[in-house]
Amino acid sequence: MAAPAYKRILLKLSGEALMGNDSYGINRETIERIVAEVKEVVDLGVQVAVVIGGGNIFRGVAPAAAGMDRATADYMGMMATVMNALALQDAMRRVDLVSRVQSALTIEQVAEPYIRGKAIRYLEEGKVVIFGAGTGNPFFTTDTAAALRGMEMNAEIVLKATKVDGVYTDDPKTHPDAMRYKSLTFDEAIMRNLKVMDATALTLCRDQKLPINVFSIFKQGALKRVVMGEDEGTLVSP
C-alpha cells in the first residue's frame, strides 16, 4: 500500500457535521461514522489533531441568545465545542481509539488545559488530540482556531470537513451547473471571496504557507483519500 501523503493533519470538524439530518444536537450514527473514518487514517500511521465547532449544540439555544452580548454568546459557543469534544472522545473510546481533549478554557474536571508541548507529545504517541473551546477568546471562530492549532502542532495540512465535497464556483444546491475547484491559491480564494474559511483563518494559513483541503466528511472514505493525496475536495495552497 502506498504511504500517506501527510503524516500529521489538523482536522476541522464543524458542529453541524455531527448533527446528521437532525436540526441540532449530536446524531449518534453520524458521529460513529466520522470516528470510523478517523480511525482508518490513524491506523495508517497518520497523526491526527481535531478542532471541533459547537454550532450544532448552540443552535438549540440560539433563540434565547438573541440580543445577547457578543462576548458572552461566544463563550457559550466555546463551551458547546467542549461538549462536542467530549462526545467525540467517548465515541473514539468505544472503538479503542485513544484520544485526549484539551480545552482553551480551564475546565480541569472534564478536559486538560491546552499545553502545546503535551499535545505534540500525544500526537507522537499516536493519540488523537481534540481541541475544544476554540482559541479561548471571543470574536474568533473555530476556523481561526483550526488555523492557529494547525500551525502550533506543525501540521502539514488543515482538512476542513464539511457537508459539501469541495469549493464550488457557486452554491451547488441552488446551481446544479456549479463547478468544483480542484485547486486554488490562497490569493484566488480571498479575491473571489470563496467560502473556504473565514478571512482571518485563510490569511493565517496563507502567511504560514499551511495548505487547506475542503472536503465532504459525508463521503465514505473521503478523509482517507485526502490523506493519501488523491483528487478529493479542493486544495487551497500558496
Side-chain angles (χ1 to χ4, degrees):
M1 181 183 292
Y6 306 101
K7 294 182 179 179
R8 182 178 295 176
I9 65 171
L10 188 292
L11 177 64
K12 168 58 169 60
L13 273 176
S14 67
E16 287 79 1
L18 305 182
M19 293 192 307
N21 294 319
D22 299 341
S23 56
Y24 62 89
I26 298 168
N27 181 286
R28 180 170 178 173
E29 183 179 334
T30 299
I31 198 171
E32 287 176 350
R33 189 181 50 73
I34 290 172
V35 165
E37 298 271 329
V38 173
K39 188 176 189 303
E40 190 174 23
V41 300
V42 170
D43 289 344
L44 293 173
V46 178
Q47 298 174 9
V48 181
V50 181
V51 166
I52 195 161
N56 58 318
I57 293 175
F58 195 71
R59 182 175 296 182
V61 298
M68 184 179 289
D69 174 75
R70 168 65 190 275
T72 300
D74 281 359
Y75 279 118
M76 290 173 64
M78 287 181 228
M79 288 188 282
T81 72
V82 176
M83 294 169 67
N84 278 340
L86 293 173
L88 188 62
Q89 181 184 44
D90 184 72
M92 289 181 176
R93 178 187 55 78
R94 292 198 297 270
V95 295
D96 299 321
L97 190 56
V98 181
S99 62
R100 295 288 184 270
V101 174
Q102 289 197 348
S103 169
L105 295 177
T106 304
I107 320 174
E108 291 186 3
Q109 288 86 347
V110 296
E112 297 180 13
Y114 170 64
I115 300 174
R116 177 176 179 266
K118 234 181 174 183
I120 290 175
R121 187 172 77 247
Y122 287 149
L123 291 174
E124 292 171 345
E125 292 171 351
K127 298 179 176 71
V128 177
V129 182
I130 307 168
F131 297 115
T135 66
N137 301 288
F139 308 107
F140 291 95
T141 68
T142 49
D143 275 355
T144 300
L148 182 62
R149 296 291 182 252
M151 290 181 283
E152 290 178 309
M153 293 301 104
N154 300 319
E156 297 170 87
I157 191 169
V158 172
L159 305 183
K160 183 172 180 180
T162 69
K163 292 184 176 182
V164 183
D165 63 342
V167 179
Y168 280 75
T169 53
D170 215 321
D171 186 350
K173 293 180 182 178
T174 55
H175 295 79
D177 58 342
M179 301 290 290
R180 175 177 68 90
Y181 292 104
K182 181 177 178 179
S183 62
L184 288 163
T185 66
F186 284 112
D187 288 339
E188 286 173 335
I190 292 170
M191 286 188 295
R192 297 176 190 176
N193 197 29
L194 299 172
K195 304 302 180 183
V196 177
M197 281 185 160
D198 70 62
T200 304
L202 202 56
T203 303
L204 276 171
C205 289
R206 181 192 64 181
D207 292 348
Q208 298 300 318
K209 298 180 173 56
L210 178 62
I212 303 166
N213 188 294
V214 182
F215 74 105
S216 172
I217 195 66
F218 291 93
K219 285 179 67 176
Q220 187 172 358
L223 177 58
K224 181 181 177 182
R225 288 192 292 275
V226 172
V227 166
M228 298 302 292
E230 298 178 20
D231 179 18
E232 186 69 49
T234 299
L235 179 66
V236 185
S237 58

